[in-house]
Amino acid sequence: MHSVECEVKILRDTAALAEEAAKRFVAMVVTARRDKQSHTVALSGGTTPRAFYTRLASAPYDAQVDWSRIDFYFGDERGVPPDHPDSTYRLAHDTLFRPNRIAAGQIHRMRGEMEDLSAAAELYTTELTAVVDEGLPRFDLVLLGLGPDGHTASLFPNNRALHEHVRWVVSIDDAPKPPPRRLTLTVPVLNHAKQVIFLVAGADKARAVREVLRGDAPADDYPAKLIQPGAGRVLWVLDEEAASLL
């Protein structure tokens, strides 16, 4: 078996996981504030990030961050309007942006409502030029989740998008879980981040967690294995159920 080079933190449950992630987020933003004017974060969707966003928007964390200095982007989006229940943007808006009064100019959303998602991918690529460093978009922090099938962002097992090395954003029209139409950042962009944090909770993720962190299956079968930005730049925050097979 191989072992991915990363830090793993195991917490009791989703509430404890959200607390840990909020502490880490605040510490990172405060440290970055000493060095630069703004901070760039790429958000993810799903049930586990919801708990994290909600915690981040409540005391004491909401008051510890200068929210005006953070620009928010997205790692992926579903092919739905921004007010749709499946929208990753709507999740972040309802739980994080609105409570913390994030200005519209700081929010850079993917246009999942566009009929032509390839055009939406090109639009977002243009938007990402604002954060290019060393030839690729570079986020201070990328938040990711993990599906029971080992997917992360909207990079699904054995999808051609896993081998995209030129484009920064691609459209997906055949995702194996609804909705099938999506937009996602590609592996090179995710691996160029200064810091990646995986937030994973639930017993249904345990097998995928074990395979990604300790197993020998091909990365095409468990795409989260492809996210390896380098030593000291990946943190997995797991609840006990998700970590139960490690």
Side-chain angles (χ1 to χ4, degrees), residues 88-151:
T88 299
Y89 163 79
R90 179 179 173 179
L91 168 66
H93 174 268
D94 291 353
T95 58
L96 184 62
F97 300 157
R98 187 171 59 196
N100 286 324
R101 298 179 177 85
I102 307 299
Q106 297 167 239
I107 301 167
H108 309 270
R109 75 173 183 87
M110 293 176 166
R111 306 286 165 176
E113 71 276 20
M114 289 179 64
E115 186 63 34
D116 185 348
L117 284 187
S118 293
E122 291 177 15
L123 271 180
Y124 209 62
T125 296
T126 302
E127 190 116 352
L128 292 179
T129 57
V131 294
V132 168
D133 179 35
E134 298 177 358
L136 280 168
R138 177 161 239 183
F139 295 105
D140 293 300
L141 173 63
V142 170
L143 289 168
L144 292 172
L146 180 73
D149 62 353
H151 87 268

Side-chain angles (χ1 to χ4, degrees), residues 128-237:
L128 292 179
T129 57
V131 294
V132 168
D133 179 35
E134 298 177 358
L136 280 168
R138 177 161 239 183
F139 295 105
D140 293 300
L141 173 63
V142 170
L143 289 168
L144 292 172
L146 180 73
D149 62 353
H151 87 268
T152 191
S154 281
L155 297 167
F156 290 94
N158 303 299
N159 191 285
R160 65 189 181 283
L162 302 182
H163 301 286
E164 177 58 60
H165 299 296
V166 177
R167 291 177 293 173
W168 301 344
V169 189
V170 295
S171 59
I172 305 287
D173 56 17
D174 55 355
K177 60 179 287 188
R181 301 176 74 244
R182 294 161 178 256
L183 293 161
T184 187
L185 299 184
T186 56
V187 172
V189 176
L190 298 176
N191 278 337
H192 199 55
K194 292 182 181 177
Q195 179 73 42
V196 174
I197 297 180
F198 281 90
L199 302 178
V200 189
D204 61 327
K205 313 287 181 64
R207 184 181 170 200
V209 166
R210 181 187 179 281
E211 189 53 57
V212 171
L213 295 180
R214 303 282 185 265
D216 293 320
D220 269 22
D221 293 346
Y222 289 86
K225 287 188 172 194
L226 294 169
I227 311 308
Q228 298 191 40
R233 288 164 54 193
V234 188
L235 167 67
W236 285 74
V237 185

Side-chain angles (χ1 to χ4, degrees), residues 44-85:
S44 65
T47 54
T48 309
R50 177 188 294 276
F52 165 57
Y53 301 154
T54 301
R55 190 68 192 97
L56 203 52
S58 58
Y61 304 113
D62 56 342
Q64 294 175 356
V65 174
D66 182 351
W67 296 102
S68 69
R69 292 191 175 189
I70 303 178
D71 274 281
F72 292 97
Y73 293 80
F74 290 86
D76 72 323
E77 181 56 277
R78 284 82 178 266
V80 296
D83 59 352
H84 191 281

